[in-house]
Amino acid sequence: MTILRRLLLAPLTALSTNLMASEDAKETPAKSQLDLGVGMVSFYTPHYLGSDQYNTYVFPSPYVVYRGDIVHADDRGLRGFIYNSDKLDLRLSFGGALPVDSEDNDAREGMDNLDLMAETGLNLEYQLYSDPRHELRFDLPVRAAFTLGSDFMHHQGWTSNPRFYHHYNRDQWSLTTTLGLVYSDKHYHAYIYDVTQADVTDTRPFYQSNSGYTGSRFSISGKRRFGNWVLGANMRYYNLDGATNEDSPLVIQKDYSSFGLYLVWLFHSSTR
């Protein structure tokens, strides 16, 4: 399923409720931190990477921030430390994608639905610069994808998003930006972009996907804490020009943005 939809992992894991999943952090606090809350999540995003149709989601959700010696779960995702040094870190990394009902998408009408997808793998992080407020690094995450439909945990290929990552923190403000490229193997692309003979129509020709360049990706996310309240927002931009499978009849739109917003009330915080 689409790399785009890993954008917001909220329905995939309870730890994605703050809309900023899949961004990894560097700092390891001296003691564990735990924040718990509830809030409302809203986001506007295409059905899949290449679709020209969008969905708007609004739903209540729990909010969890945990930073321990081994595992972090916060507004930059769920990840675990495997190796940690001054400059080079290796961490567990997780992502995912929302399902798509083909009856709701004109380009996929009559085709199989896209199931909920989970991605898990490793992220190699190299720190380029760091001070008390800024962190700049280069990330190389590699993840395996698994669908969570009727064929539970069926492997759907591999994907990677080499990127530059910058995090800025000041007082109650936090801002994270990333810029990079996405590459995926043939099996991963086929799940999104293949058109079999059974799915051929007058306007949807047969198509077989290839491995390679999936697209470019820019994201910016920020949050501000006001006492026991947290307000956050997210924007992501994708461009598929020059993508390996841009000629698939399922690729209708080659550049677009998606947006998310959340408001959370904290009923427990170890940081206050």
Side-chain angles (χ1 to χ4, degrees):
M1 214 171 124
T2 91
I3 297 169
L4 165 68
R5 296 295 186 84
R6 99 184 67 177
L7 150 71
L8 307 165
L9 305 180
L12 187 59
T13 73
L15 300 171
S16 60
T17 56
N18 34 20
L19 292 185
M20 319 283 184
S22 298
E23 310 298 353
D24 304 288
K26 173 79 170 72
E27 66 279 10
T28 305
K31 61 180 181 179
S32 296
Q33 171 191 339
L34 177 64
D35 292 346
L36 298 174
V38 293
M40 293 296 296
V41 175
S42 175
F43 57 96
Y44 176 74
T45 182
H47 290 179
Y48 61 88
L49 193 62
S51 174
D52 63 341
Q53 294 177 264
Y54 289 70
N55 275 334
T56 300
Y57 300 87
V58 180
F59 51 86
S61 180
Y63 177 93
V64 178
V65 168
Y66 174 75
R67 296 189 183 98
D69 292 337
I70 303 299
V71 175
H72 282 186
D74 56 21
D75 61 341
R76 282 159 281 172
L78 172 64
R79 65 248 183 244
F81 295 86
I82 297 177
Y83 172 78
N84 190 23
S85 71
D86 289 341
K87 290 290 186 180
L88 190 65
D89 297 340
L90 182 64
R91 310 186 184 194
L92 293 174
S93 187
F94 304 89
L98 297 174
V100 176
D101 187 339
S102 293
E103 292 184 359
D104 297 331
N105 186 273
D106 294 341
R108 296 189 57 86
E109 185 178 2
M111 299 181 65
D112 290 339
N113 297 331
L114 297 177
D115 291 324
L116 184 68
M117 180 178 284
E119 297 171 8
T120 181
L122 300 177
N123 187 24
L124 185 66
E125 306 171 357
Y126 182 75
Q127 186 182 99
L128 301 171
Y129 174 80
S130 180
D131 66 25
R133 290 183 177 175
H134 296 268
E135 180 188 1
L136 176 65
R137 69 177 193 239
F138 179 76
D139 289 0
L140 182 60
V142 178
R143 294 173 176 165
F146 301 89
T147 50
L148 306 179
S150 56
D151 191 2
F152 188 71
M153 292 302 291
H154 180 71
H155 179 56
Q156 289 292 355
W158 296 84
T159 186
S160 178
N161 174 213
R163 66 200 180 203
F164 289 99
Y165 168 102
H166 177 257
H167 180 68
Y168 173 75
N169 186 69
R170 181 172 182 175
D171 300 326
Q172 301 298 316
W173 289 94
S174 176
L175 182 68
T176 300
T177 57
T178 69
L179 176 65
L181 307 176
V182 181
Y183 296 89
S184 307
D185 68 2
K186 182 177 181 178
H187 192 35
Y188 191 101
H189 283 152
Y191 188 67
I192 310 169
Y193 301 123
D194 268 13
V195 177
T196 67
Q197 289 291 354
D199 293 321
V200 169
T201 67
D202 292 341
T203 58
R204 190 171 60 205
F206 176 79
Y207 186 82
Q208 286 186 313
S209 300
N210 296 300
S211 61
Y213 175 56
T214 304
S216 59
R217 172 183 175 273
F218 169 78
S219 72
I220 181 168
S221 59
K223 69 174 182 179
R224 173 69 162 88
R225 183 164 173 173
F226 304 88
N228 290 330
W229 293 90
V230 179
L231 177 65
N234 174 287
M235 186 280 288
R236 299 197 181 192
Y237 172 77
Y238 282 83
N239 191 297
L240 276 62
D241 284 335
T244 301
N245 297 291
E246 66 176 338
D247 293 331
S248 168
L250 301 178
V251 176
I252 310 300
Q253 185 169 317
K254 294 185 181 180
D255 71 303
Y256 45 81
S257 300
S258 57
F259 305 90
L261 182 69
Y262 66 93
L263 179 65
V264 171
W265 172 66
L266 298 176
F267 56 80
H268 171 82
S269 176
S270 59
T271 59
R272 289 185 60 84

